[in-house]
Amino acid sequence: MKTINIADKHKLFDEAWTPKIVGDLNGSQVKLAKFRGEFAWHAHENEDEFFLVTKGTMRMRLRDGDQIVGSGEFIIVPRGVEHCPVAESDEVHVMMVEPASTVNTGDLDDARTLTDLERI
Amino acid sequence: MKTINIADKHKLFDEAWTPKIVGDLNGSQVKLAKFRGEFAWHAHENEDEFFLVTKGTMRMRLRDGDQIVGSGEFIIVPRGVEHCPVAESDEVHVMMVEPASTVNTGDLDDARTLTDLERI
């Protein structure tokens, strides 16, 4: 049980769209990721997703209108809702909280689908 | 489904040790609180608690040694672990993620026990 510095953990990796696990709570995981460019439209059937931006600005594309999420802001995407995260700045640092069962690309089988996340 | 600015939400209340609900995900709630002074030793039998500091510095007293948590840092207190949050700076702004069943004072019945949290 140690204090985790989010910015220090973000320095430990460079790849975009590859969430790293940094904590566990109540069957969910805390994950850190870097976003660059645009991801892919997808939804998670059974998982609500929490995204907190800690650096840069993210655009969350949604079918009923985009949301802009800056540093110190968060958005919760409920289960079943199609979304597509986009880096509005060159690079965005994100902290996510979501059930351990969550696959990054949800219902989409994509080249970026990850099934075994690294812990840092 | 809207972007939430954490600092703006913290401006909406002044009381210390009174978490406000700002989001729901997967049976858990996202809460914001202000800490001033010292809380009370307690534990949560069934809930892990996530504390992210967004302003100031918190000391998390633990039976096996304190942890200092500054702005941009978090700590997860596993279920069953006794803890006592203390504001190390005059005021600390905190974001918590914990199951909706979580009572702020855990196993302790205290004057500060809250059973009906406000949503902001």
Side-chain angles (χ1 to χ4, degrees):
Chain A
M1 192 183 354
K2 294 279 182 199
T3 298
I4 304 286
N5 183 293
I6 294 174
D8 285 351
K9 286 288 189 188
H10 267 119
K11 289 178 190 151
L12 297 180
F13 64 98
D14 186 54
E15 323 93 271
W17 310 115
T18 57
K20 311 292 186 185
I21 300 167
V22 292
D24 300 88
L25 72 156
N26 306 302
S28 284
Q29 292 170 332
V30 182
K31 300 173 182 174
L32 299 182
K34 294 183 177 181
F35 293 175
R36 289 192 290 269
E38 181 161 342
F39 201 54
W41 280 98
H42 66 283
H44 304 276
E45 191 182 343
N46 300 308
E47 297 101 350
D48 310 322
E49 274 191 307
F50 170 95
F51 297 83
L52 170 72
V53 173
T54 61
K55 186 179 174 188
T57 302
M58 172 177 76
R59 176 183 295 270
M60 186 62 81
R61 289 198 199 283
L62 299 159
R63 295 300 186 195
D64 62 356
D66 295 358
Q67 288 283 317
I68 299 295
V69 189
S71 184
E73 298 183 329
F74 71 83
I75 190 169
I76 296 171
V77 178
R79 58 194 69 188
V81 173
E82 285 186 293
H83 58 288
C84 177
V86 178
E88 190 77 2
S89 47
D90 288 347
E91 181 169 278
V92 188
H93 292 191
V94 180
M95 187 193 84
M96 289 167 290
V97 181
E98 53 191 23
S101 57
T102 310
V103 176
N104 62 328
T105 52
D107 57 348
L108 180 72
D109 192 5
D110 187 89
R112 288 175 290 195
T113 300
L114 297 169
T115 52
D116 192 18
L117 302 187
E118 188 184 2
R119 284 179 183 267
I120 61 172
Chain B
M1 193 182 355
K2 295 279 180 199
T3 298
I4 304 286
N5 183 293
I6 294 174
D8 285 350
K9 287 287 190 189
H10 267 118
K11 289 177 191 150
L12 298 180
F13 64 98
D14 185 54
E15 322 92 272
W17 310 114
T18 56
K20 310 292 185 186
I21 300 168
V22 292
D24 300 87
L25 71 155
N26 306 301
S28 283
Q29 292 170 333
V30 182
K31 300 173 183 174
L32 299 183
K34 294 183 176 181
F35 293 176
R36 289 192 290 269
E38 180 161 342
F39 201 53
W41 280 98
H42 65 283
H44 304 276
E45 190 181 344
N46 300 308
E47 298 100 352
D48 310 322
E49 274 192 305
F50 171 96
F51 297 83
L52 171 71
V53 173
T54 60
K55 185 178 176 189
T57 302
M58 173 178 73
R59 175 184 296 270
M60 185 63 81
R61 289 197 198 283
L62 299 160
R63 296 300 186 193
D64 63 354
D66 296 358
Q67 288 283 316
I68 299 295
V69 189
S71 183
E73 298 184 328
F74 72 82
I75 189 168
I76 296 171
V77 178
R79 60 195 68 188
V81 172
E82 285 186 294
H83 57 288
C84 176
V86 178
E88 190 77 1
S89 47
D90 287 348
E91 182 169 277
V92 188
H93 293 191
V94 180
M95 187 193 85
M96 289 166 290
V97 181
E98 53 192 23
S101 58
T102 309
V103 175
N104 63 329
T105 51
D107 57 349
L108 179 73
D109 191 6
D110 187 89
R112 289 175 289 195
T113 300
L114 297 170
T115 53
D116 193 18
L117 302 187
E118 189 185 1
R119 285 179 182 267
I120 60 172

